[in-house]
Amino acid sequence: MPDVNASNYPADARQYAAATERNRDPILAVLRQVLPTAGTVLEIASGTGQHAAYFAPQLAPRYWLPSDPQPQCRASIAAWRDAAVTPYLRSPVAIDAANPPWELSVSP
């Protein structure tokens, strides 16, 4: 597997984690077994957004809703969403799982 780093990608708000490239296919295999066939998956603490951009088109017709409390992570997620060009990846929302209650407003 090639090393993943920022020099391999265009300069934009996307952040990168090499571990995502290594673990995304095993995680996807499990998700395919355990998720219902339709609906929306809420991802808590989406981080870079790489998983969201990879899983959303693979798991269609399910929708993927990424979230993260950190603005820089949401910017990265949004940039990955823009690059992914899939209707199944929603805009990131600000959720801090450690700080309820959570308000959730979903937009395409």
Side-chain angles (χ1 to χ4, degrees):
M1 167 116 5
D3 184 31
V4 177
N5 62 52
S7 66
N8 296 341
Y9 295 94
D12 59 23
R14 285 180 283 179
Q15 296 177 20
Y16 311 92
T20 301
E21 300 291 322
R22 294 189 302 269
N23 69 24
R24 66 186 187 181
D25 288 317
I27 293 171
L28 179 61
V30 172
L31 292 174
R32 284 188 169 136
Q33 292 175 9
V34 300
L35 290 177
T37 58
T40 299
V41 177
L42 172 61
E43 181 184 26
I44 301 295
S46 300
T48 66
Q50 288 171 266
H51 277 135
Y54 186 72
F55 295 153
Q58 301 277 344
L59 295 170
R62 301 165 196 95
Y63 288 90
W64 198 267
L65 177 59
S67 73
D68 206 282
Q70 301 298 321
Q72 69 273 18
C73 289
R74 290 193 307 276
S76 178
I77 296 163
W80 279 101
R81 179 181 184 249
D82 291 346
V85 191
T86 177
Y88 297 101
L89 180 53
R90 299 295 192 197
S91 296
V93 294
I95 293 178
D96 183 348
N99 191 18
W102 312 299
E103 292 187 29
L104 186 57
S105 177
V106 179
S107 62

